[in-house]
Amino acid sequence: MAPILIVFGPLFAAAFAGFFGNIIGHRPAQIVTTGFVILSALLSMFVVFPDVAFGGHVRTIDLGTWINVGDFQAGWAIKLDTLSAVMLVVVTSVSSLVHVYSWGYMSHDPHRARFFAYLSLFTFTMLALVTADNFLQLFFGWEGVGLASYLLIGFWYKKKSANNAAIKAFVTNRVGDFGLALGIMALFMVFGSVNFGDVFALAGDNADTTLSFIGMEFNAIELICFLLFIGAMGKSAQFFLHVWLPDAMEGPTPVSALIHAATMVTAGVFLVVRCSPLFEMAPMTSAFVTVIGGTTALFAATVGLAQNDIKRVIAYSTCSQLGYMFFAAGLGLYGAAIFHLFTHAFFKALLFLGSGSVIHGMSDEQDMRKMGGLYKMMPGTWIMMLIGTIALTGVGFPFAMLGWSMGFLPDIGLSGFYSKDAIIEGAFIAGEAGKSFGLFAFWIGVTAALLTSFYSWRLIFMTFHGKFRGEKHVFEHVHESPRVMMIPLVLLAAGAILAGPVFKGTFIGNGASNFWSDSIVGFEQVEGDYAAGDHGEGDHEEGDHGEGADDHHDAVETHAAPADDHGAAVDDHGDAAAGDHGGGHHDVPTWVILAPFFATLFGFIGAWWFYITKEGIGARIAAKRGPVWSVLYNKWYFDEAYHLIFVRGARGLGDLLWKIVDVKIVDGLGPNGLAASTMATARRVAKAQSGYLYHYAFVMLIGVVGLTLWIVAGAGGQ
């Protein structure tokens, strides 16, 4: 009963608020929607998650047959395994806090009932996606979050920019969704089913199956995974299909938090991890996932350096962090990818809602160039944003990892430190073991960490420190947000602090093999710690090659097993975690361990120098509008390029089809050509129909004379 209520409770609330909101009023609609989402969160955290993740009660609840046409069958079910349980906690907890926060943020909006109905609909569609038992049900949730995002991004539909952003998000996602739809069709063609269990069980038997596509032969599983990832690229705003995400900031700030932290953009990562049995057998596509993820992480981080809208900076941060998750998944580090998704949900929602608090206190001002010195007027928001920034940048120090010198100290850091560093170090290990693009991902991860630190602290310094640069009347009305907005921030801050250290052992540590065994295929926990030269009890001793054992990075999954518990074969294209050099231990050089720490430190120092020590130098660089700044500020000119190629190209093609093909050819030969000539001839001939008998008699006489002459002429010829 609890799983059904978790999934369908928000749907009932959305329908209730949407259909009856204008009748019952805004407050009852808010109470119903918020109440059901909070109930879903409580049931997820205290009933389903412990029962599934730690009680081992993995199950599928069949709700009925959805489609049964010939050989095609698809039911509707609620799949409860560790992966879906984690996603239930992430989605419902963040969504419930966003609902509560919206009570204050949207308090003056005249359409609050409609807004809360959309929020709950968004929550339901994401819950339907993550609990899907088959690809068609997943596609329903996939399209549902696309629809809900369109409605929420364009919520203030009287703003042209909001309408344009909503359309841009919808159309861009249709590109990716087309790839996903083709992938699902190919799945049914190859496996004869769209159910996860059936497909994964038959994957090994179809390892050598080929499919013809665009006149070429492809390995079926490689092609299927590639098409599925195209869908993930669109939904999770990866390179080339990322352009919709920054413009999604046109929606209300709570929408931005929900889209970026817990729902829409995480769907792509979830899809890749859910399909790990297939991606494990598709090394070329996995390498492509790694490259796209790494490229996105670096690209988005560079763009974030030059943005001035407080929400857009955080939006590009989301793109970059999603890149981390994808290149981790591409390298087979599925547990680390989901761990980062889990921690990221808390600190990214905190940052977005914190920025909303700033905007609320600044009378809807979003330009950081018009802020400064706000920590005095908004101390609570400042502290919450500091916590979110520290978590995002991964500030921390791996004392336990450096056991050769100071192993008596535990690792110290917020959530992002544990999850981000695990991905970066896992990438290095994978690269050293020969995994495709592993070292590429490692260096990208370190570089992106430096840039993330710089633009994140730039946001803090420009917003809360230095002199106020806005208008005087705005400064006079700056105020702290109400309690209803601050309470969600405090709870999210607790998650940003505790999610990493509390769950590291479960997600990527010693308990990970049992935790993920039912949902991530081929996951095998590497027993012991990363300890170069530690071949005994796992203790940390000086002289062990200069490296010690890690605590927060002590396990990364490997995929050496030939098959998982679904019966899906796992190929031997390389260990996912790699670096298993015997004895279950991993060699990680000290400089690799410290690289993320120093990258974060240098980014902080750079931001401090630019925006505190030499305050104003950043503005002077921007005023010069140099080529590098222009490229970054204009987002590498992707929007302009896409407008030229696709928008203007489509418009030019439309004009060609309209003015030449339709008007001149179709209409010219048709309605304006033969049809018009026939009509004109008919009008002339019609004039002969005078209605006078003697006219008709005269015509008949001419006809008789003509017939006679023809007969006579014919007889004379004989």
Side-chain angles (χ1 to χ4, degrees):
M1 183 61 184
I4 296 175
L5 192 56
I6 290 172
V7 176
F8 291 98
L11 176 62
F12 167 78
F16 182 82
F19 290 124
F20 304 109
N22 291 333
I23 299 174
I24 63 176
H26 297 299
R27 183 56 62 88
Q30 292 175 223
I31 293 173
V32 171
T33 52
T34 305
F36 270 96
V37 174
I38 290 177
L39 178 61
S40 294
L42 294 175
L43 291 174
S44 297
M45 288 186 285
F46 300 110
V47 178
V48 172
F49 182 75
D51 183 54
V52 173
F54 302 116
H57 296 149
V58 177
R59 61 194 183 277
T60 298
I61 302 173
D62 292 316
L63 301 180
T65 301
W66 184 13
I67 296 176
N68 188 356
V69 179
D71 295 331
F72 185 85
Q73 296 181 352
W76 192 286
I78 298 177
K79 182 179 179 64
L80 295 177
D81 62 1
T82 307
L83 180 58
S84 60
V86 169
M87 294 302 296
L88 284 178
V89 171
V90 170
V91 174
T92 57
S93 59
V94 174
S95 179
S96 60
L97 294 175
V98 168
H99 273 74
V100 173
Y101 179 92
S102 299
W103 280 57
Y105 193 87
M106 301 295 290
S107 59
H108 301 297
D109 195 280
H111 306 290
R112 294 191 299 280
R114 177 165 60 89
F115 178 78
F116 278 85
Y118 289 168
L119 282 184
S120 291
L121 177 63
F122 205 164
T123 304
F124 160 72
T125 54
M126 189 64 187
L127 293 175
L129 190 158
V130 300
T131 58
D133 186 48
N134 60 74
F135 284 95
L136 194 64
Q137 184 182 339
L138 181 143
F139 190 71
F140 168 85
W142 195 272
E143 293 302 300
V145 294
L147 169 63
S149 68
Y150 170 79
L151 296 174
L152 285 167
I153 294 170
F155 179 76
W156 288 320
Y157 57 87
K158 293 184 179 180
K159 290 174 58 179
K160 187 176 185 299
S161 58
N163 282 326
N164 291 341
I167 294 172
K168 187 175 183 179
F170 197 80
V171 172
T172 304
N173 273 273
R174 296 291 72 72
V175 176
D177 295 353
F178 181 66
L180 177 60
L182 289 177
I184 295 174
M185 296 175 194
L187 277 166
F188 182 73
M189 180 185 300
V190 173
F191 299 103
S193 174
V194 293
N195 293 323
F196 292 148
D198 296 338
V199 170
F200 298 158
L202 296 172
D205 297 334
N206 291 274
D208 298 324
T209 303
T210 60
L211 286 176
S212 296
F213 185 66
I214 58 176
M216 295 183 287
E217 292 289 326
F218 295 92
N219 177 275
I221 294 181
E222 288 277 12
L223 179 60
I224 288 170
C225 288
F226 177 79
L227 293 172
L228 294 177
F229 180 63
I230 295 299
M233 286 176 62
K235 199 65 69 183
S236 294
Q238 292 300 283
F239 197 62
F240 295 123
L241 295 180
H242 67 278
V243 292
W244 68 269
L245 192 59
D247 287 4
M249 299 302 98
E250 289 292 339
T253 299
V255 174
S256 303
L258 197 56
I259 290 177
H260 286 247
T263 55
M264 188 167 172
V265 297
T266 62
V269 180
F270 170 82
L271 174 64
V272 173
V273 176
R274 173 61 81 197
C275 296
S276 58
L278 301 179
F279 279 89
E280 278 300 296
M281 301 179 64
M284 293 179 62
T285 301
S286 294
F288 180 70
V289 173
T290 303
V291 171
I292 291 295
T295 303
T296 304
L298 181 61
F299 156 75
T302 61
V303 176
L305 299 173
Q307 302 307 301
N308 297 311
D309 186 306
I310 188 171
K311 288 171 63 178
R312 283 182 180 268
V313 174
I314 304 174
Y316 277 105
S317 169
T318 299
C319 281
S320 184
Q321 297 304 307
L322 288 167
Y324 276 96
M325 300 174 206
F326 274 109
F327 78 64
L331 294 172
L333 308 173
Y334 303 113
I338 294 298
F339 185 38
H340 196 50
L341 183 154
F342 180 75
T343 61
H344 176 265
F346 293 103
F347 59 72
K348 188 50 60 69
L350 175 61
L351 287 171
F352 266 113
L353 296 187
S355 69
S357 179
V358 172
I359 295 168
H360 185 269
M362 283 284 294
S363 303
D364 296 328
E365 180 59 66
Q366 296 183 200
D367 194 334
M368 296 187 300
R369 293 172 296 184
K370 299 179 181 179
M371 300 179 186
L374 297 183
Y375 78 95
K376 298 177 182 178
M377 287 76 71
M378 308 180 71
T381 300
W382 172 60
I383 293 173
M384 296 299 103
M385 291 287 282
L386 277 178
I387 294 173
T389 299
I390 293 172
L392 168 64
T393 56
V395 174
F397 198 85
F399 288 113
M401 188 65 172
L402 301 174
W404 56 273
S405 60
M406 52 187 88
F408 58 90
L409 292 174
D411 294 329
I412 297 177
L414 271 62
S415 294
F417 163 64
Y418 296 97
S419 57
K420 174 178 65 65
D421 281 23
I423 290 176
I424 292 175
E425 291 171 21
F428 176 83
I429 295 170
E432 287 291 290
K435 188 81 170 183
S436 299
F437 299 102
L439 293 180
F440 161 82
F442 167 75
W443 287 112
I444 287 288
V446 173
T447 306
L450 186 152
L451 299 179
T452 299
S453 179
F454 182 89
Y455 69 67
S456 297
W457 289 109
R458 170 180 178 263
L459 182 151
I460 292 294
F461 297 150
M462 289 184 68
T463 303
F464 294 100
H465 297 271
K467 298 178 180 179
F468 185 80
R469 299 175 296 276
E471 298 179 5
K472 183 178 180 181
H473 71 89
V474 175
F475 182 78
E476 293 172 349
H477 293 88
V478 174
H479 60 279
E480 187 62 276
S481 297
R483 186 174 300 174
V484 71
M485 294 173 63
M486 294 303 297
I487 291 176
L489 292 181
V490 173
L491 294 176
L492 287 170
I497 295 171
L498 299 174
V502 170
F503 288 98
K504 63 183 176 65
T506 303
F507 280 67
I508 60 173
N510 293 327
S513 58
N514 292 329
F515 186 76
W516 293 118
S517 61
D518 56 57
S519 55
I520 296 181
V521 172
F523 191 102
E524 286 190 353
Q525 176 58 41
V526 178
E527 299 297 338
D529 299 327
Y530 287 156
D534 180 0
H535 303 292
E537 299 297 323
D539 296 328
H540 316 305
E541 297 181 359
E542 291 188 30
D544 282 351
H545 305 289
E547 293 97 35
D550 180 21
D551 185 25
H552 78 280
H553 312 285
D554 59 356
V556 183
E557 53 270 50
T558 62
H559 300 269
D564 76 314
D565 57 350
H566 298 289
V570 179
D571 77 327
D572 57 356
H573 67 273
D575 293 338
D580 191 354
H581 302 295
H585 301 288
H586 297 283
D587 297 327
V588 183
T590 302
W591 69 268
V592 173
I593 303 167
L594 294 178
F597 168 77
F598 282 108
T600 301
L601 179 62
F602 292 152
F604 171 81
I605 293 173
W608 181 275
W609 190 81
F610 270 85
Y611 296 98
I612 298 296
T613 304
K614 300 290 184 179
E615 184 179 1
I617 191 173
R620 291 193 293 272
I621 292 174
K624 293 180 180 179
R625 298 184 178 276
V628 175
W629 179 89
S630 297
V631 169
L632 300 183
Y633 179 76
N634 291 287
K635 300 158 287 187
W636 291 22
Y637 293 101
F638 263 96
D639 285 334
E640 290 77 5
Y642 282 8
H643 182 80
L644 176 65
I645 298 171
F646 298 112
V647 178
R648 291 183 60 182
R651 185 176 298 167
L653 178 62
D655 287 344
L656 173 66
L657 296 175
W658 166 37
K659 295 178 181 179
I660 305 299
V661 177
D662 192 25
V663 174
K664 293 188 177 181
I665 298 178
V666 177
D667 289 347
L669 295 178
N672 299 330
L674 295 175
S677 300
T678 302
M679 184 67 72
T681 303
R683 290 195 185 97
R684 293 188 181 94
V685 173
K687 293 179 180 179
Q689 303 294 328
S690 64
Y692 293 107
L693 183 59
Y694 63 88
H695 283 173
Y696 299 148
F698 179 71
V699 172
M700 291 174 65
L701 179 61
I702 293 175
V704 171
V705 172
L707 180 61
T708 303
L709 292 174
W710 179 73
I711 293 173
V712 171
Q718 294 178 349

